[in-house]
Amino acid sequence: MNVSVNVKTNSAEWAELINNASEKMLTVVAQQMLNDSLKYVPKAEGALRDSGTIDKVNGEVALVWDTPYAQAQWFGVVEGRPVKNYTTKGTTKMWVEAARAKYGKNWQQVAQNAFDAGLE
């Protein structure tokens, strides 16, 4: 005996649910990335470390450090000379990449958990 089942779904509702879950996930994982990256940000007086924010840049979620010397510290080149020693132990250039090396797997789990929660 063959029994057929006809299931109808509202794809617009699913798309909205997935988009909302994605937005929540991006916000949560960006905050985790920012928090985990802070200890790697070069710190003499704290202005660079304290300037880290989450922002929208060209429609994308971005971590932003906004000080006059943030770019030089990020690339590890100050006045054309490479920075070899950071004054605060454990800090480095490209601090988000340093944090990703240590916490990347955790960020994936944070992202998955936030997305799942957004679907509920």
Side-chain angles (χ1 to χ4, degrees), residues 66-101:
D66 188 20
T67 65
Y69 53 90
Q71 184 174 354
Q73 289 294 330
W74 175 260
F75 289 108
V77 178
V78 176
E79 297 176 0
R81 294 185 320 265
V83 177
K84 297 191 191 245
N85 297 310
Y86 287 87
T87 57
T88 304
K89 185 177 179 176
T91 63
T92 187
K93 66 181 180 177
M94 296 185 180
W95 44 88
V96 177
E97 298 306 320
R100 180 193 324 258

Side-chain angles (χ1 to χ4, degrees), residues 2 18 23 27 33-34 40 43 51 53-54 68 76 78 80-81 85 87 89-90 92 96 102 106 115 118-119:
N2 289 337
I18 289 168
E23 284 295 318
T27 301
M33 291 172 69
L34 179 65
Y40 298 102
K43 180 183 178 183
S51 75
T53 60
I54 300 168
V78 176
R81 294 185 320 265
N85 297 310
T87 57
K89 185 177 179 176
T92 187
V96 177
K102 183 165 185 179
N106 183 53
F115 184 80
L119 292 177

Side-chain angles (χ1 to χ4, degrees), residues 37-60:
S37 297
L38 289 179
K39 66 179 149 197
Y40 298 102
V41 177
K43 180 183 178 183
E45 298 298 323
L48 178 60
R49 189 175 286 186
D50 295 341
S51 75
T53 60
I54 300 168
D55 207 349
K56 285 263 186 172
V57 177
N58 299 324
E60 300 283 329

